Amino acid sequence: MENMDSRLVRLILKGDQWAFAELVELYKDKIFHLTYRMLGNRHEAEDMVQETFLRVYRNLDKYDPNQKFSTWIYRIATNLCIDRLRRRKPTYSLDAEFNEQEGSDGYAMLASDERTPEGETLLQETQTQIREAIDGLPAKYKSIMVLRYLQDMSLQEISDVLNLPVTTIKTRVHRGREFLRKKLEHKL
C-alpha cells in the first residue's frame, strides 16, 4: 500500500489529476470514518473529508516521503477535527425550564462557588482513586492518559512526544479510558 501511495504522490506532483482522484478513492472512506468518530456528525465529517483532501492537495509538496503517507493524511484530518471541536460552542440557555423539574431553570442548576468540607473530602477521595487507577494502567496506556488528561495535551502533541502516529494515540486513549472505566465503575 505504501509503495502505491508513494507512486501516486510522485504522479500528483508531476500534475497527474487521475493520480489524485485515485488517492482520494483510496482514502475517502477511511478519512470519513475517522472524522465521523471524532465529530459525531455526518455533515461535519463530510466537510472535514473535503477539507482534508484540499489540504493534502495544497501541501503535497511539503509531504516527507520518509513518512508513511497514511500517517500524514490522518494527522491532517485529526488536526482539522480537533480545530473544529475547539471552535464548537455549546448553546445553552440558563433561562430555559427543565421538563423533569417544573419551575426549575438553568440558574438553579448552577453549582455554588462555595466549597464545603464534605465536598472537599469527596473531591480528594475521588482524585486519589483516579490517580491510583491511572497508576495501575499498563505503561503504554498510562503515559498517554497522563499526557492527555493530566497534562491536557492534544493528540498531536502526544504523538510528537511519544513519536507514535496520532491514530495509535487515539486508540490508546480509548483503550485507556476503558481500563479506567472498568477499574472505577464500582468505586465511584
Side-chain angles (χ1 to χ4, degrees), residues 140-170:
K140 68 181 183 179
Y141 299 117
K142 181 180 178 180
S143 60
I144 290 175
M145 298 305 283
V146 167
L147 292 172
R148 180 75 174 132
Y149 294 106
L150 301 181
Q151 297 298 316
D152 202 30
M153 288 183 152
S154 71
L155 297 175
Q156 182 58 51
E157 290 169 330
I158 298 168
S159 172
D160 293 340
V161 167
L162 299 177
N163 199 24
L164 293 170
V166 173
T167 52
T168 301
I169 301 299
K170 186 175 179 205

Side-chain angles (χ1 to χ4, degrees), residues 13-26:
L13 289 172
K14 290 179 182 176
D16 188 337
Q17 302 252 337
W18 171 87
F20 187 72
E22 186 69 22
L23 192 72
V24 169
E25 195 60 37
L26 277 173

